[in-house]
């Protein structure tokens, strides 16, 4: 399906903005994932989370 | 509570965005010309063209927020048809706009549509997502990465949708990248199933 061609990366962060889990190349409509200790989860285009790992601190701003 | 639609209709004489007929912002005849389309898990009330395109453009770019009622009704009827066929849905979630853009426009059209849909099918509206821009300096990124950086990303509250079957609402789907990104953010927030209902496919 045409709309399946958009895999994502999911980055789970805790209340301090620290990465607790990175899940790469997920099928957005089909994959359910979770992470213990996460407060927020950020989706990114697949590949964008490459190099990000648990323990990293994430900075982002409202858009 | 003030009925904003009534106030608007008193101040401005309504005319159909499609055919110009008086009395409504998007008349039943023009609404009936819309052919619902389904692509996998994305349902659209019609194709982005003709009267529907005019109505959407007025809704998005000309400040006619009141069209949310008519366009939302179109989306709600697709969703209601699924519910009637036994599709189980628990909550309505808008594919929220960037806050800056919503501020410029004065409203977030996905949220307006979602409010109308939620009222119409009597499902709760929840807003577990917002949009962020990655704060990595642009100079560090190559061109493709820069385009993605501009795209921004959805962030949702982890676990907030655990086990929920979600109806995701937006106005127009073009490539499907944004709606897929939103769906992914909802699945990552624990949603058990996500289906999207939009006003139009722009193919």
């Amino acid at each position: 399906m045409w709309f399946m061609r958009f895999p994502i990366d999911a980055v789970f962060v805790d209340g301090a903005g620290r990465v607790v889990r990175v899940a790469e190349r997920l099928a957005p409509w089909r994959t359910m994932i979770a992470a213990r200790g996460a407060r927020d989860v950020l989706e990114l285009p697949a590949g964008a989370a490459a190099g990000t790992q648990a323990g990293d601190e994430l900075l982002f701003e409202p858009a | 509570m003030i009925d904003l639609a009534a106030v608007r209709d008193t101040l401005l004489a309504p005319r159909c965005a499609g055919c110009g007929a008086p009395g409504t912002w998007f008349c039943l005849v023009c609404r009936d010309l819309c052919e619902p389309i389904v692509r996998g898990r994305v349902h659209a009330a019609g194709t982005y063209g003709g009267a529907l395109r005019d109505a959407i453009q007025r809704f998005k770019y000309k400040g006619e927020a009141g069209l949310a009622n008519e366009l939302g009704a179109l989306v709600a009827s697709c969703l209601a048809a699924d519910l009637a066929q036994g599709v189980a849905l628990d909550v309505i979630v808008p594919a929220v706009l960037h806050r800056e853009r919503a501020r410029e426009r004065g409203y977030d059209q996905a949220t307006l549509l979602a409010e109308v849909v939620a009222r119409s099918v009597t499902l709760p509206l929840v807003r577990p997502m917002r949009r962020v821009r990655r704060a990595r300096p642009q100079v560090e990124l190559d061109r493709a990465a820069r385009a993605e950086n501009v795209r921004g990303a959805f962030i949702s509250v982890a676990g907030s949708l655990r086990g929920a079957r979600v109806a995701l609402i937006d106005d127009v789907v073009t490539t499907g990248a944004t709606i897929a990104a939103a769906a992914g953010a909802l699945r990552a927030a624990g949603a058990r199933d996500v289906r999207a209902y939009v006003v139009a496919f722009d193919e």
Side-chain angles (χ1 to χ4, degrees), chain B residues 69 72-77 80 83 113-123:
Chain B
N69 286 316
L74 278 175
V75 177
S77 66
L83 290 173
L113 290 170
E115 285 167 356
V116 173
V117 172
R119 255 200 316 273
S120 166
V121 300
T122 61
L123 282 174

Side-chain angles (χ1 to χ4, degrees), chain B residues 128-191:
Chain B
M129 286 194 289
R130 59 188 202 280
R131 285 172 102 154
V132 292
R133 182 170 48 215
R134 279 179 293 159
R136 220 156 119 206
Q138 294 271 358
V139 283
E140 284 180 13
L141 307 174
D142 63 22
R143 225 176 62 152
R146 220 176 295 151
E148 282 179 350
N149 207 35
V150 170
R151 158 190 178 277
F154 288 95
I155 186 166
S156 50
V157 180
S160 59
L161 292 169
R162 192 170 301 142
R165 292 158 297 193
V166 178
L168 173 62
I169 309 295
D170 206 353
D171 48 13
V172 179
V173 164
T174 307
T175 64
T178 304
I179 202 82
L186 298 175
R187 293 306 302 263

Side-chain angles (χ1 to χ4, degrees), chain B residues 13-101:
Chain B
R15 279 196 175 276
C16 174
C19 62
T24 173
W25 297 96
F26 194 53
C27 78
L28 286 172
V29 176
C30 286
R31 277 189 235 181
D32 274 350
L33 292 175
C34 298
E35 294 264 3
I37 309 163
V38 182
R39 298 271 184 274
R41 305 190 94 68
V42 185
H43 301 241
T47 304
Y48 190 67
L52 193 55
R53 180 170 173 272
D54 293 344
I56 290 168
Q57 290 199 335
R58 285 170 58 174
F59 177 47
K60 284 180 78 168
Y61 307 117
K62 303 240 168 97
E64 296 189 38
L67 270 162
N69 286 316
E70 285 80 356
L71 297 175
L74 278 175
V75 177
S77 66
C78 289
L79 204 157
D82 266 11
L83 290 173
Q85 288 190 347
V87 172
L89 295 164
D90 303 306
V91 292
I92 306 288
V93 176
V96 287
L97 196 64
H98 298 88
R99 228 181 311 177
E100 285 163 16
R101 208 174 298 165

